[in-house]
Amino acid sequence: MAEFFGFGGYSRQPEGYFSPAHLLFVSSLMVVMVFLAVFLGLRYKKRDEKAQSKVLLIAAIAMDSLELFKIVLLCFRNENPLDWLHNLPLFLCSIQLITLPIAALSKGKLKEITLDFLFVFGLLGAVLGTYFAGNNYGAYPVFSFDNVVSGLTHSIAGFGSLYVGITGMAKLKWENFPWCCLTMAVFCLLAYIADVTIPYNYMFLMRGDGTPYDILFHLLGGNPILYPVLVVVLFFVYIGAFYGIYRLVLKLKNQKKAVE
């Protein structure tokens, strides 16, 4: 148990980024994530919003409980009492720790915006935080507390994204597009302030740390201004592309129904 939780450090060597162990572990999580999202999404698709939101609330409680447990354990495990500053919900994936419970409990415009944000970024964060998390799977053994909790929380975020897409809870109206961008801008600003003051690398605004962001970081020669600015710009481009493709598919689907 001490080895699994990392007390005193891990004695095992990490299996490695993109090792068979890494790919098998995260693929297993993805299979369970997709199965539950499809099963529950289809089951609750025609239920009322209150019933649909209960599933999101359970997911939010599970995700936030795991993250809180991780922070508490790390405070006991690590010698530096300020290590909790490295676990603020300011990564792309960890934003769902906030948006998921809000989406489950809120109503009206706030619910629409957080559902859209969850739909747009939940699945992306799940894939990036599992298959492409070189910063985790290159540093810790696959079956370790750090990677198991990370894999579970990212999978729950991906579940929420697929679930709200299948049930139709997320509408992705163009009028909510600016609000979704504003939400991302606020988190990026908070992350950048934390990165400069702690310092740290929230939202990977300082460097790539073994993730696909490394490609952009190296292309720009690690420029401390252009790199974070372009990362944020790419977030906005991704949001716009997601909205545009979704609305186009919905339009074509409605046209097909009209013809039939």
Side-chain angles (χ1 to χ4, degrees):
M1 293 299 290
E3 171 64 19
F4 173 77
F5 286 106
F7 287 100
Y10 294 110
S11 61
R12 293 169 292 153
Q13 289 294 320
E15 292 85 348
Y17 184 39
F18 278 140
S19 65
H22 168 210
L23 295 177
L24 178 62
F25 175 65
V26 298
S27 295
S28 300
L29 291 176
M30 292 297 103
V31 169
V32 174
M33 177 193 81
V34 172
F35 171 77
L36 289 175
V38 173
F39 175 74
L40 293 173
L42 293 176
R43 183 176 181 179
Y44 284 85
K45 186 177 179 65
K46 296 183 179 180
R47 301 283 293 274
D48 58 37
E49 186 180 274
K50 184 177 180 180
Q52 292 173 341
S53 295
K54 284 183 178 179
V55 176
L56 285 182
L57 181 58
I58 293 172
I61 292 172
M63 187 178 186
D64 284 25
S65 297
L66 280 169
E67 191 68 14
L68 181 60
F69 176 63
K70 181 185 80 172
I71 293 172
V72 171
L73 185 136
L74 290 180
C75 287
F76 284 100
R77 191 181 77 178
N78 300 337
E79 295 180 1
N80 187 349
L82 296 179
D83 271 349
W84 65 271
L85 291 173
H86 297 164
N87 291 279
L88 300 174
L90 293 175
F91 281 114
L92 175 62
C93 314
S94 55
I95 295 174
Q96 309 303 346
L97 292 165
I98 299 172
T99 57
L100 185 54
I102 293 177
L105 296 171
S106 62
K107 295 182 179 180
K109 178 62 69 175
L110 181 59
K111 190 179 189 72
E112 287 185 11
I113 295 168
T114 49
L115 282 171
D116 281 6
F117 195 92
L118 174 62
F119 187 32
V120 172
F121 282 107
L123 186 58
L124 175 67
V127 173
L128 291 178
T130 52
Y131 285 103
F132 297 101
N135 54 318
N136 282 339
Y137 292 96
Y140 311 115
V142 170
F143 192 66
S144 63
F145 176 78
D146 294 79
N147 281 331
V148 169
V149 172
S150 176
L152 289 173
T153 53
H154 283 88
S155 298
I156 293 172
F159 162 82
S161 177
L162 286 173
Y163 175 79
V164 299
I166 294 171
T167 56
M169 294 181 74
K171 307 299 183 184
L172 264 62
K173 301 175 183 176
W174 275 119
E175 64 193 62
N176 291 333
F177 168 70
W179 292 104
C180 196
C181 288
L182 179 61
T183 302
M184 175 55 72
V186 169
F187 275 105
C188 285
L189 177 60
L190 293 174
Y192 188 77
I193 293 172
D195 288 339
V196 173
T197 55
I198 292 175
Y200 201 52
N201 191 28
Y202 285 117
M203 297 291 282
F204 299 101
L205 294 176
M206 298 291 105
R207 57 193 178 276
D209 273 355
T211 67
Y213 292 102
D214 268 335
I215 300 173
L216 182 62
F217 184 80
H218 293 308
L219 283 175
L220 296 174
N223 189 290
I225 297 176
L226 288 178
Y227 171 71
V229 168
L230 198 52
V231 168
V232 176
V233 169
L234 287 175
F235 284 144
F236 294 155
V237 171
Y238 172 75
I239 296 172
F242 200 104
Y243 268 79
I245 293 172
Y246 179 85
R247 300 308 305 178
L248 177 61
V249 171
L250 191 62
K251 181 179 178 181
L252 294 175
K253 184 178 179 180
N254 290 335
Q255 288 179 346
K256 184 178 179 181
K257 283 184 177 181
V259 171
E260 292 175 351

